[in-house]
């Protein structure tokens, strides 16, 4: 009857109207609100490092609890930290995937993704899936005073050379030492046997007496090198650029075994309620303004290729070998550790330090 | 002069402290600190102990795990860690003894000689400690480095032909820096004890013909002993587990046990092993303190 | 007692020590006014840029405020609780007394890193977010041994007859505590509070673990220290803080003299 027919037409119309009314209208970025929590390394919470996001989403609050190191960030996430995003570095990435702590990332939602070179994209992949977004990067090589070591440095073995006794500084890191040894001996870093590890341990115990101190942060290394106590060191390019800028006579070696390259990445915590906002944050992190700040203010590399090609500071061009387009191919990216390797190599380093 | 009230009271009651049938005040005093420590100290420590029996860091950290002794097994198998613990305890002993001895004259000066300026001087002593420790040590390293001010002066004055290596990046450097850092802190308990000494005692002793040295050894020192002991333990105990100073000035030879513990937490993500190491250190320190207290019989001055 | 002499070996010793303590601060002052970005010679020329940077950094000032709040709060808590323990130790005899004193001293033996992780575990398990409160709680725990020891050292052996007399005259123990014990212990309590404040203000290891979104000053300093180019600004900051504290100390002294 007429009444019933009105109902059958009216209901769908009302339903559609309701749907339209209830559907989330796209909120303009300028008015987007919300809170994001990013478990960050000390210093990276500075506005310079996420300036693109701030400009585009000024009303989103971002909190930055601090993680002290790779191990600390990992342990906190494993302990159930509720941060939406966390900042990890190459070598430590597999653990997050193994323990189910990280979301797979839909890179089609990142507008800046095509500016990232493939070699960096691969760094963020585990088992073929994109779990991490690469963001900051740099080299590790041997930094040395050209006035103290006029003959130059051509190999990683310089770090264990008795000729420089008392003037060497190695980074305080077990996996780092294993990496250096694997370069020197031409061993496969991903497949170090127990015998090889024993050899590595012995040679670094010997090295300990040639070593002045193990550096934990770049400022202490820079001060010691500027002051002449340290003549050569395992170092990142930030130290090189700073010392060059201060007029200290230093050079950054291109060892025959190749430089090492490390990459910092961001991951999204599995199960975070703020997935969309997190993706927007990561996209903004890859932005040009942010990238320029990273490079020019803090001497770290950025994975946005446009930013790297746009560098003008000669000290930085030298430090990043911008003029050498093949430099990334020649570098050895740090592979991911397995749990067994992590435990064995860190324990080895502790025993080296404690050895009589 | 006894009042009627007092006269009626049995003599044994007169000078004793409040009896064992506790007045209400006892609970008011006892409950807050005990509860506070139970929740914010004992509970976390219990968690750390439980954690040391965790076989590894796999899986959700709060899920139940099957206890295992493998962390302790590894620890007991590594002789170099035990040696390092002994070395660290030795360094702590030297630090505590020297700091206490060097701080005593400061406390003495502040109590008896500084007069009305004592509080000003005390504050001046503490002000550097509200500046970042890390930056202060960086400045010290600048002064002590091989091309630093002190070595430059020494070689300019012809006192040495090559820079003194032990001033920095060595075990002595750690001990020296620790003593330097602890002295102002350690002054405080000695000060508190010295302030109890009645200056009238000095006059009385002098009147009786005692020399200043005797006054010191027979009156001042014994009366201030509780403060001196407090100062000693206040330094000794935490220094066994010290890690910041060795990290900054110890080089490769000045490493202490605390550095290894810290490494297992912040470099190895191996909280179970780190907890095991820390608990072993805790047990060793407690044993040393118990031994020392037995020798010194502190209860005498506590009661 | 003789009047304080103008120059005695003891006074010389004290001032020599003071000079040694302030020497690194003088170094920091010198470098904060120079264009160097590293702590090394030669000096590169006078500049006030670092101070300008330091004062413009809003985050800096906030972190200092956070440190002050945490230090004041934790030192009050630690002094109060420590004094309670001290009174119990010096005035009561009960079963478990040794245990309580030992317990109060125990936080001294725990490496901060372990306590930090342990508290982190506890707070995570309870669902408590890391914040300035969590840092303050940790600081009050680690300062407790110091405050108890200092107040105990003062109260120990103090003549209890004053308290006995007060109670015989009809005062209950609480009033006795308030009117007699407290004034006696007050100088030590002040010492204790100062110690607890000092322990907390520059404390780093615990703060790093337990800090939430608002960093304390040492944590902020550490975070900026990762980048070598930030060093001079941090030095300028530290110097400002030190000069500010010195100013407060001298003002307090003038006020005290005026009374």
């Amino acid at each position: 009857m007429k009444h019933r027919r009105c109902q059958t037409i009216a209901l769908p119309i009302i339903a559609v109207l309701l749907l339209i009314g209830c559907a989330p209208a796209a909120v303009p970025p300028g008015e987007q609100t919300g809170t994001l929590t990013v478990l960050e390394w000390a210093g990276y919470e500075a506005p310079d490092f996420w300036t693109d996001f701030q400009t585009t989403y000024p009303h989103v609050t971002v909190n930055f609890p601090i993680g002290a190191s790779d191990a600390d960030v990992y342990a906190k996430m494993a302990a159930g930290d509720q941060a939406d995003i966390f900042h990890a570095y190459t070598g430590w990435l597999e653990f997050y995937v193994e323990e189910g702590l990280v979301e797979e990332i839909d890179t089609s939602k990142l507008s800046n993704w095509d500016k990232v070179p493939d070699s960096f994209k691969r760094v963020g992949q585990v088992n073929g899936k994109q779990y991490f977004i690469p963001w900051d990067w740099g080299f590790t090589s041997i930094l040395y005073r050209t006035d103290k070591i006029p003959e130059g440095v051509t190999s990683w073995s310089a770090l264990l050379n008795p000729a420089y006794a008392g003037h060497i500084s190695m980074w305080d890191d077990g996996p780092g030492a294993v990496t250096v040894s694997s370069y020197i001996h031409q061993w496969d870093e991903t497949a170090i046997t127990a015998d090889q590890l024993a050899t590595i341990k012995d040679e670094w115990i010997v090295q300990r007496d040639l070593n002045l101190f193990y550096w934990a942060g770049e400022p202490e290394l820079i001060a010691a090198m500027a002051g002449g106590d340290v003549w050569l060191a395992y170092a990142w390019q930030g130290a090189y650029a700073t010392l060059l800028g201060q007029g200290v006579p230093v050079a950054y070696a291109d060892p025959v075994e190749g430089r090492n390259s490390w990459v910092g990445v961001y991951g999204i915590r599995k199960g975070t309620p703020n997935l969309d906002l997190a993706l927007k944050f990561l996209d903004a992190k890859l932005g040009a303004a942010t990238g320029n700040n990273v490079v020019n203010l803090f001497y770290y590399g950025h994975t946005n290729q446009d930013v790297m090609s746009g560098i003008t500071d000669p000290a930085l061009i030298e430090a990043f070998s911008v003029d050498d387009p093949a430099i990334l191919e020649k570098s050895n990216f740090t592979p991911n550790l397995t749990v067994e390797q992590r435990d064995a190599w860190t324990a080895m380093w502790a025993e080296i330090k404690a050895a009589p | 002069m006894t009042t009627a009230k007092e006269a009626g009271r049995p003599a044994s009651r007169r000078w004793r402290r409040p009896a064992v049938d506790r007045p209400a005040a006892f609970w008011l005093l006892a409950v807050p600190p005990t509860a506070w420590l139970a929740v914010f100290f004992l509970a976390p420590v219990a968690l750390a102990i439980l954690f040391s029996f965790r076989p590894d860091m796999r899986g959700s950290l709060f899920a139940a795990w099957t206890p295992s002794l493998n962390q302790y097994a590894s620890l007991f198998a590594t002789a170099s860690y035990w040696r390092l613990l002994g070395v660290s305890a030795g360094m702590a002993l030297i630090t505590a003894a020297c700091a206490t001895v060097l701080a005593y004259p400061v406390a003495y000066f502040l109590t008896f000689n500084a007069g009305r300026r004592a509080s000003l001087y005390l504050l001046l002593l503490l002000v550097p400690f509200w500046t970042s420790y890390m930056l202060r040590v960086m400045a010290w390293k600048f002064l002590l480095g091989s091309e630093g001010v002190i070595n430059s002066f020494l070689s300019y004055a012809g006192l040495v032909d090559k820079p003194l290596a032990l001033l920095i990046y060595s075990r002595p450097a750690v001990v020296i820096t620790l003593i330097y850092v602890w002295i102002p802190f350690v002054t405080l308990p000695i000060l508190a004890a010295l302030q109890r000494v009645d200056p009238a005692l000095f006059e009385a002793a002098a009147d009786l013909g005692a020399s200043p040295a005797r006054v010191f050894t027979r009156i001042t020192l014994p009366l201030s002993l509780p403060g001196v002991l407090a100062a000693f333990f206040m330094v000794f105990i935490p220094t066994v587990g010290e890690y910041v100073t060795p990290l900054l000035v110890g080089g490769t030879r000045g490493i202490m046990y605390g550095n290894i513990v810290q490494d297992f937490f912040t470099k190895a993500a191996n909280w179970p092993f780190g907890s095991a190491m820390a608990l072993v250190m805790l047990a060793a320190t407690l044993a040393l303190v118990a031994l020392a207290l037995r020798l010194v019989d502190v209860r005498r001055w506590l009661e | 007692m003789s009047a304080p002499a103008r120059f005695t070996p003891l006074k010389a010793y004290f001032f020599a020590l003071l000079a040694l303590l302030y020497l690194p601060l003088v170094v920091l002052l010198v470098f904060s006014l120079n264009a160097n970005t590293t702590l090394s010679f030669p000096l590169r020329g006078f500049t006030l840029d670092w101070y300008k940077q330091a004062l413009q950094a809003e985050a800096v000032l906030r972190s200092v405020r956070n440190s002050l709040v945490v230090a004041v709060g934790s030192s009050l808590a630690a002094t109060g609780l420590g004094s309670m323990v001290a009174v119990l130790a010096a005035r009561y005899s009960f079963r478990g007394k040794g245990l309580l004193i030992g317990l109060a001293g125990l936080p001294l033996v725990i490496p901060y890193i372990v306590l930090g992780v342990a508290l982190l575990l506890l707070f995570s398990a309870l669902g408590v977010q890391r914040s300035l409160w969590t840092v303050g709680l940790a600081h009050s725990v680690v300062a407790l041994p110091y405050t108890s020891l200092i107040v105990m050292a003062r109260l120990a052996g103090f003549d209890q007859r004053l308290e006995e007399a007060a109670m015989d005259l009809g005062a209950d123990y609480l009033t006795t505590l308030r009117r007699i014990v407290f004034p006696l212990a007050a100088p030590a309590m002040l010492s204790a509070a100062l110690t607890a404040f000092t322990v907390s203000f520059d404390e780093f290891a615990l703060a790093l673990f337990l800090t939430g979104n608002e960093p304390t000053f040492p944590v902020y300093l550490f975070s900026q220290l990762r980048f070598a180019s930030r060093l001079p600004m941090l030095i300028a900051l530290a110097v400002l803080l030190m000069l500010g504290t010195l100013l407060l100390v001298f003002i307090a002294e003038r006020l005290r003299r005026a009374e």
Side-chain angles (χ1 to χ4, degrees):
Chain A
M1 278 82 67
K2 200 168 173 197
H3 186 65
R4 172 118 17 119
R5 222 189 342 207
C6 282
Q7 272 185 332
T8 28
I9 298 173
L11 279 171
I13 293 176
I14 292 171
V16 170
L17 284 171
L18 276 172
L19 274 172
I20 292 173
C22 294
V27 181
E31 283 156 43
Q32 173 102 38
T33 56
T35 313
L36 263 185
T37 309
V38 181
L39 182 58
E40 254 299 11
W41 289 63
Y44 282 113
E45 76 282 359
D48 295 325
F49 280 131
W50 49 291
T51 178
D52 284 290
F53 188 75
Q54 269 189 324
T55 328
T56 324
Y57 299 91
H59 296 291
V60 174
T61 316
V62 187
N63 293 319
F64 294 95
I66 290 183
S69 63
D70 282 311
D72 190 45
V73 171
Y74 170 65
K76 283 186 172 141
M77 293 310 293
D81 198 292
Q82 295 292 292
D84 302 300
I85 299 170
F86 59 91
H87 191 171
Y89 280 80
T90 39
W92 285 74
L93 308 184
E94 226 172 75
F95 313 132
Y96 295 96
V97 178
E98 248 179 55
E99 298 289 338
L101 295 168
V102 67
E103 290 272 3
E104 199 184 333
I105 294 183
D106 181 1
T107 55
S108 63
K109 297 202 174 148
L110 301 172
S111 60
N112 288 317
W113 190 236
D114 51 354
K115 304 202 180 85
V116 178
D118 282 336
S119 46
F120 286 135
K121 284 182 183 167
R122 276 196 296 275
V123 166
Q125 288 168 5
V126 178
N127 302 330
K129 297 192 188 162
Q130 196 77 38
Y131 284 104
F132 300 100
I133 302 299
W135 185 69
D136 56 325
W137 68 276
F139 290 117
T140 313
S141 184
I142 301 143
L143 181 62
Y144 63 97
R145 288 277 298 249
T146 47
D147 52 342
K148 308 280 188 188
I149 307 183
E151 67 271 22
V153 166
T154 51
S155 161
W156 283 99
S157 54
L159 285 174
L160 294 94
N161 190 340
Y164 309 125
H167 297 286
I168 307 176
S169 184
M170 172 63 187
W171 186 38
D172 190 0
D173 188 76
V178 174
T179 304
V180 170
S181 287
S182 71
Y183 293 166
I184 295 172
H185 295 282
Q186 298 285 290
W187 289 337
D188 179 3
E189 203 180 337
T190 58
I192 300 280
T193 66
D195 284 334
Q196 289 172 334
L197 198 64
T199 313
I200 294 175
K201 180 173 168 184
D202 288 334
E203 69 187 5
W204 283 98
I205 289 182
V206 173
Q207 195 274 354
R208 196 183 59 156
D209 290 327
L210 309 171
N211 204 46
L212 187 60
F213 65 93
Y214 298 117
W215 63 269
E218 284 179 296
E220 71 176 306
L221 175 63
I222 290 168
M225 223 172 207
D229 282 331
V230 169
W231 295 352
L232 84 160
Y234 173 113
W236 305 322
Q237 81 291 338
Y240 175 52
T242 309
L243 284 168
L244 264 188
Q246 278 286 284
V248 180
V250 287
Y252 204 44
D254 250 317
V256 298
E257 303 94 347
R259 288 183 181 174
N260 165 266
S261 184
W262 48 267
V263 184
V265 305
Y266 283 99
I268 301 179
R269 175 175 63 87
K270 198 167 187 84
T272 172
N274 298 314
L275 188 55
D276 278 329
L277 206 52
L279 284 167
K280 293 187 170 90
F281 184 80
L282 293 185
D283 193 20
K285 281 285 244 181
L286 292 171
T290 306
N292 280 317
N293 285 342
V294 173
V295 172
N296 292 312
L297 297 179
F298 299 105
Y299 311 144
Y300 276 37
H302 191 255
T303 46
N304 183 330
Q305 195 55 35
D306 294 343
V307 170
M308 296 310 288
S309 342
I311 295 178
T312 50
D313 185 331
L316 288 173
I317 291 180
E318 259 231 66
F320 286 112
S321 296
V322 178
D323 293 334
D324 181 358
I327 192 72
L328 285 179
E329 309 305 321
K330 286 195 282 185
S331 308
N332 308 302
F333 282 93
T334 311
N336 284 317
L337 296 170
T338 64
V339 176
E340 292 77 22
Q341 285 171 335
R342 180 190 79 207
D343 287 341
W345 299 2
T346 51
M348 175 202 79
W349 192 244
E351 285 174 52
I352 289 170
K353 286 163 84 169
Chain B
M1 187 160 73
T2 48
T3 62
K5 196 171 171 196
E6 277 176 311
R9 205 182 276 262
S12 59
R13 178 86 170 85
R14 223 168 285 166
W15 303 127
R16 255 202 286 153
R17 68 178 71 77
V20 171
D21 52 347
R22 307 147 207 264
F26 173 79
W27 293 110
L28 273 173
L29 289 173
V31 168
T34 316
W36 196 271
L37 284 167
V39 173
F40 298 118
F41 181 70
L42 288 180
V45 171
L47 263 173
I49 294 176
L50 278 177
F51 231 70
S52 71
F53 292 109
R54 201 178 205 281
D56 53 35
M57 286 285 276
R58 288 197 145 105
S60 162
L61 285 190
F62 290 115
W65 63 84
T66 40
S68 150
L69 283 174
N70 68 333
Q71 308 294 356
Y72 287 100
S74 312
L75 181 56
F76 279 92
T78 319
S80 52
Y81 292 156
W82 293 96
R83 193 193 141 273
L84 194 60
L85 182 57
V87 167
S88 306
M91 287 167 79
L93 193 74
I94 298 175
T95 305
C98 292
T100 309
V101 165
L102 289 173
Y104 197 99
V106 178
Y108 192 95
F109 170 75
L110 287 174
T111 316
F112 299 118
N113 296 39
R116 299 172 60 218
R117 293 232 181 108
S119 51
L120 171 68
Y121 289 159
L122 181 63
L123 285 174
L124 282 181
L125 205 62
L126 290 176
V127 160
F129 288 85
W130 299 327
T131 319
S132 162
Y133 179 66
M134 277 180 270
L135 290 179
R136 276 188 299 143
V137 176
M138 279 180 98
W140 261 123
K141 284 164 79 162
F142 164 75
L143 288 171
L144 295 173
S146 63
E147 284 172 24
V149 170
I150 293 183
N151 268 313
S152 306
F153 173 73
L154 286 175
S155 47
Y156 172 75
L159 291 170
V160 291
D161 11 89
K162 51 184 211 96
L164 281 179
L166 74 76
L167 288 180
I168 192 169
Y169 301 132
S170 66
R171 197 172 290 158
V174 176
V175 174
I176 293 170
T177 310
L178 282 172
I179 295 172
Y180 166 79
V181 168
W182 275 110
I183 289 179
F185 246 54
V186 146
T187 310
L188 290 164
I190 305 179
L191 192 68
L194 277 174
Q195 281 170 341
R196 277 177 32 216
V197 175
D198 188 351
L201 286 170
F202 295 152
E203 290 181 24
D207 285 345
L208 289 168
S211 68
R214 277 206 102 192
V215 170
F216 179 73
T217 49
R218 300 299 290 269
I219 300 182
T220 321
L221 191 57
L223 283 178
S224 62
L225 215 53
V228 171
L229 285 171
F232 179 84
F233 285 117
M234 197 168 98
V235 179
F236 175 73
I237 296 172
T239 305
V240 178
E242 173 74 25
Y243 73 90
V244 178
T245 308
L247 206 60
L248 295 172
V249 299
T252 54
R253 281 285 171 191
I255 295 287
M256 289 175 76
Y257 191 82
N259 292 96
I260 308 293
V261 174
Q262 208 241 0
D263 279 356
F264 277 105
F265 280 105
T266 59
K267 287 204 172 50
N270 194 342
W271 290 6
F273 192 75
S275 304
M277 282 192 88
L279 290 167
V280 161
M281 187 194 85
L282 176 63
T285 314
L286 282 176
L288 281 171
V289 170
L291 186 68
L293 285 179
R294 196 155 282 267
L295 294 172
V296 165
D297 196 15
V298 183
R299 313 186 70 197
R300 243 188 324 120
W301 61 266
L302 264 185
E303 278 162 14
Chain C
M1 196 173 111
S2 56
R6 300 279 2 249
F7 179 81
T8 62
L10 217 52
K11 196 167 192 177
Y13 178 80
F14 177 75
F15 281 104
L17 191 73
L18 215 58
L20 213 62
L21 278 179
Y22 279 86
L23 195 57
L25 297 174
V26 169
V27 169
L28 291 178
L29 179 69
V30 165
F31 277 99
S32 70
L33 292 167
N34 269 281
N36 296 50
T37 52
T38 65
L39 275 182
S40 59
F41 283 142
L43 296 177
R44 271 164 221 287
F46 184 85
T47 174
L48 282 175
D49 283 348
W50 310 127
Y51 284 98
K52 281 198 222 132
Q53 269 187 33
L55 286 170
Q56 279 164 358
E58 191 201 305
V60 159
L61 301 169
R62 215 173 35 235
S63 74
V64 173
R65 185 216 67 170
N66 292 339
S67 273
L68 278 172
V69 164
V70 167
V72 168
S74 68
S75 57
L76 283 176
T79 306
L81 294 166
S83 304
M84 291 183 200
V85 172
V87 171
L88 282 172
R91 291 291 176 269
Y92 284 87
S93 120
F94 54 94
R95 231 173 356 185
K97 170 162 148 174
L99 215 62
L100 177 68
I101 297 173
L103 185 63
L106 216 50
L108 261 184
V109 210
I110 299 274
Y112 283 10
I113 200 116
V114 179
L115 188 61
V117 171
L119 279 170
L120 184 65
L121 284 174
L122 182 75
F123 291 134
S124 304
L126 293 176
V128 174
Q129 295 279 57
R130 289 178 289 158
S131 70
L132 291 179
W133 283 102
T134 51
V135 182
L137 283 169
H139 285 176
S140 69
V141 169
V142 294
L144 196 60
Y146 296 110
T147 55
S148 336
L149 267 173
I150 290 174
V151 181
M152 253 195 271
R154 175 140 172 104
L155 283 179
F158 241 126
D159 202 344
Q160 294 171 60
R161 285 179 282 180
L162 282 171
E163 294 155 58
E164 296 282 331
M167 291 203 299
D168 285 347
L169 288 169
D172 71 338
Y173 199 58
L174 224 50
T175 314
T176 313
L177 276 180
R178 204 164 43 89
R179 308 284 298 267
I180 306 223
V181 180
F182 181 72
L184 277 179
M189 286 173 77
L190 197 61
S191 264
L194 264 178
T195 311
F197 183 88
T198 312
V199 164
S200 166
F201 193 71
D202 193 37
E203 199 285 318
F204 172 71
L206 284 169
L208 193 63
F209 265 103
L210 297 168
T211 246
N213 301 323
E214 291 278 343
T216 58
F217 183 54
V219 172
Y220 179 79
L221 210 67
F222 172 72
S223 79
Q224 299 299 296
L225 215 55
R226 250 170 70 76
F227 301 100
S229 52
R230 287 266 167 147
L231 184 65
M233 182 205 76
L234 296 173
I235 295 179
L237 199 70
V239 171
L240 273 178
L241 214 68
M242 186 216 22
L243 291 175
T245 321
L246 275 175
L247 193 68
L248 280 174
V249 166
F250 280 113
I251 290 177
E253 176 65 8
R254 298 233 68 188
L255 287 174
R256 194 190 62 82
R257 294 264 206 99
E259 281 167 18

